[in-house]
Every structure is written in structure tokens, then in C-alpha cells.
Amino acid sequence: MQDRQEGVARQLADDLWVIDTLFQGEPGTIASYLLTGDNGLALIDVGSGATVEQLLAGVRAAGFDPTDIRHLVLTHIHLDHAGASGALVRRIPEAQVYVHRLGAPHLAHPEKLLSSAQRIYGDKMDRLWGTTEPVPEDHLHVVEDGQRITVGSRTLLALYTPGHAIHHLAYFDEQRGELFAGDVAGVQLEGSDYVRPPTPPPDLNLEDWYASIDRIEALHPSVLYLPHFGRVGDVEVHLEQLRRRLGDWGALMLANIRQGKTDTELAAILARTFDPDVAQSIPGDETAVERYELVANYLMSAQGYVRYYRKVHPELLAS
Ligand SMILES: [Zn+2]
């Protein structure tokens, strides 16, 4: 475990840092991206309400003053990406929050978001996510598909990219050909080439997700910046692996849901089938399986598929 007061930031480009929010004390699990420039500091995703101090320490470690943050650009409103927004706005009143239309109401009134998270995480809720403060409505800016926003020194094109979440945007820097991908580009931890699809309920939709991947591929980005975690240069190979695995998991889950397996049993099947590949992808790193599980756990993934098939493809479950 690293010192939480120290802050962990690594420079990726002249105007770009990746900040490690040290989620649960684990490095390399949840990132925030810091953009700098004349237009004020910007963060793309901000991590959870439990890691606000680590995030701000990361900004300082990069050599900047957190009170200069002006833009909080959210790929989607899941707690590991947006949970810190309200606390940041309270501390830095000049900071504005950018979010998809379907996510904005839940940032202003997080009760529903929190009660559904509470159902999943139970008594681990506080430890994992800390306090999720509401964002005052006058700080919320709805971003639509195709809209361009200028933050730091970059202009980013917002791409509506559902599949993982119905309130998901990816942000494309057309000039540099780089995509701040959010979770629609999957999870790949540093040092590993294993791509894991984060498939939580309630929004998982495979058809939407494939269409979002197609849309990203059509832009031919040279780089993906993943919240979980870091820079991916081999974009085509990465997205192809994600597409294949979404389908493989789906087929495996569908067959077992049809046999009446419980959510816990489904999660165990995913772990048994895929953990050997995860472990092998970072030889000698015994924490690899654990860290993948921390950011995209199998139980939630199984529940995502169950809900998806019930909601979108009930005909496949009828026997
Ligand atoms: Zn997410």
C-alpha cells in the first residue's frame, strides 16, 4: 500500500497526467486524467468519494494547485468514476461538471444511485465509496452526443457510447487521435494484455455495446486512455479482444442461466473459466486476479448478464 498523502501522478504528454486514486489502497485500479492548459485544469473522471484526498494529492504531485481545477468531465456516473464530483465542487466552487443528460439528475440527487449501490455492496458501501455528495444543479452541464467541449488545452468530441451504461460518453481528441474511453473500452490493468468487460446491471446491453465499439473503431484512435487503467496503444487488438470476450461471457452466462444457476454460481463459473487467463497475463504478479476483481467483480458481471437477458432477450430464456 502506498502513502495516501503522497499522491501518485505520471505524465503521459505535455499537457496530460494520469492520477492514481489508489482505490482501496491498490495502485493501478482507478485512474483520473488531468489535462492542463490556459483554460484551467480539467479532470476526466474523478474516482470515488472515498479517494478525494488521494486525487487532490495526485494533482499536487503533478505540480499543480487543485484550486485551479475548472472542469470535471465525466464519462459516466458510476461511483468509481463520478463519486467524488460533489465533494470536489464543494471544495472548488469554480469547478463545473460535464455529464450525459441521463446521468445529470442522479448527480444532483444521488439517492437512487446510492440505494441501488447499497443493494449491491451492503455494509461495504462506506469503505468502498465513501460519501457521495450531491452536485449543485447550477454546476451541472449536460453534454450531448457530437458536442465539443474545450478543456485544458484540448477540444474533446463527446461520443454517446452506451452498452456498459446508458449515460456513457467517451471523449475523442480529434487533433491527437486519442480517446478518453471510459468503461465502454473495457478494463485492462497495466502490465497485462487481458481485457475484461465490466458488465454490471442494470444497463448492460450487448447490441449497444458492439455498436459503440464499431463507432470507436471507425474513428481509428491511436490511443485509448482507460479509467481501469492507463494508456493502451494497440487499439485494434484491444477492442477486438473486448468484443470477443463480451460475446464469450454472454454465451457462457446464457447457457448457465438457462440451467437455473444462481448469480453466485454464475460468478463462480466466470472466475473458474477466466481467472487462469487473468493470472497468466501478468506472470509472477499474484495480485492480478484480485485487482481485476476489485474493479470489475464477477458477481456484478453475472448479475448484469442475467438482467440483460431477462430484459432484452426473454425469448432466449424460454425453454
Ligand atoms: Zn462503469
Side-chain angles (χ1 to χ4, degrees):
M1 191 183 292
Q2 310 204 12
D3 181 356
R4 293 184 176 208
Q5 299 312 311
E6 221 169 77
V8 179
R10 192 169 72 239
Q11 189 162 12
L12 300 172
D14 52 329
D15 65 338
L16 175 66
W17 277 255
V18 58
I19 292 174
D20 192 331
T21 68
L22 300 173
F23 177 60
Q24 296 296 294
E26 281 291 340
T29 51
I30 298 180
S32 169
Y33 290 93
L34 170 68
L35 284 169
T36 65
D38 299 341
N39 199 23
L41 301 178
L43 294 173
I44 301 182
D45 285 342
V46 294
S48 88
T51 52
V52 176
E53 294 308 329
Q54 288 99 299
L55 175 66
L56 296 178
V59 173
R60 284 189 288 268
F64 298 92
D65 181 348
T67 61
D68 292 333
I69 295 170
R70 293 294 174 270
H71 312 281
L72 308 176
V73 181
L74 304 177
T75 60
H76 62 304
I77 62 164
H78 288 162
L79 295 175
D80 52 334
H81 298 260
S85 309
L88 290 170
V89 167
R90 178 172 51 75
R91 293 169 65 154
I92 311 159
E94 292 89 349
Q96 306 296 319
V97 178
Y98 302 83
V99 64
H100 186 262
R101 174 172 44 85
L102 296 176
H106 298 289
L107 293 182
H109 305 282
E111 300 79 14
K112 209 171 135 196
L113 190 67
L114 292 173
S115 65
S116 67
Q118 180 80 45
R119 277 197 296 279
I120 296 173
Y121 297 104
D123 57 6
K124 283 187 280 187
M125 187 74 191
D126 268 10
R127 188 168 57 79
L128 284 171
W129 308 118
T131 305
T132 304
E133 299 181 32
V135 177
E137 277 179 57
D138 59 354
H139 284 68
L140 283 173
H141 300 265
V142 165
V143 179
E144 300 288 351
D145 179 47
Q147 192 176 330
R148 287 178 178 79
I149 57 173
T150 300
V151 294
S153 58
R154 300 193 186 203
T155 298
L156 302 175
L157 170 64
L159 300 170
Y160 183 52
T161 37
H164 169 79
I166 57 167
H167 40 76
H168 193 287
L169 293 165
Y171 296 93
F172 187 51
D173 178 340
E174 296 163 285
Q175 222 174 356
R176 300 197 193 210
E178 298 178 344
L179 185 77
F180 296 92
D183 279 352
V184 75
V187 169
Q188 185 185 69
L189 300 186
E190 286 183 317
S192 171
D193 60 1
Y194 186 88
V195 183
R196 177 138 151 185
T199 62
D203 295 343
L204 172 65
N205 184 301
L206 294 187
E207 289 82 357
D208 286 354
W209 203 324
Y210 293 141
S212 292
I213 294 173
D214 289 346
R215 197 173 177 201
I216 291 169
E217 280 175 335
L219 296 169
H220 302 291
S222 55
V223 168
L224 305 175
Y225 293 115
L226 304 182
H228 321 287
F229 189 105
R231 181 186 187 281
V232 170
D234 215 346
V235 176
E236 262 175 59
V237 172
H238 178 96
L239 292 177
E240 194 40 50
Q241 194 190 152
L242 173 65
R243 191 198 310 269
R244 200 183 62 231
R245 195 148 291 132
L246 275 168
D248 289 350
W249 284 28
L252 183 65
M253 290 296 93
L254 179 60
N256 283 280
I257 296 166
R258 286 171 61 102
Q259 289 174 27
K261 297 280 198 321
T262 65
D263 293 356
T264 317
E265 288 167 339
L266 294 170
I269 290 165
L270 283 173
R272 208 163 53 231
T273 313
F274 296 104
D275 271 350
D277 295 339
V278 175
Q280 212 175 28
S281 77
I282 316 187
D285 179 353
E286 275 148 33
T287 69
V289 164
E290 243 169 79
R291 287 188 298 130
Y292 270 89
E293 184 66 10
L294 187 62
V295 289
N297 72 73
Y298 286 125
L299 182 59
M300 229 164 63
S301 287
Q303 289 167 338
Y305 278 102
V306 169
R307 174 137 178 162
Y308 162 70
Y309 283 115
R310 281 196 192 138
K311 192 171 66 175
V312 183
H313 292 293
E315 78 284 359
L316 298 177
L317 297 177
S319 52

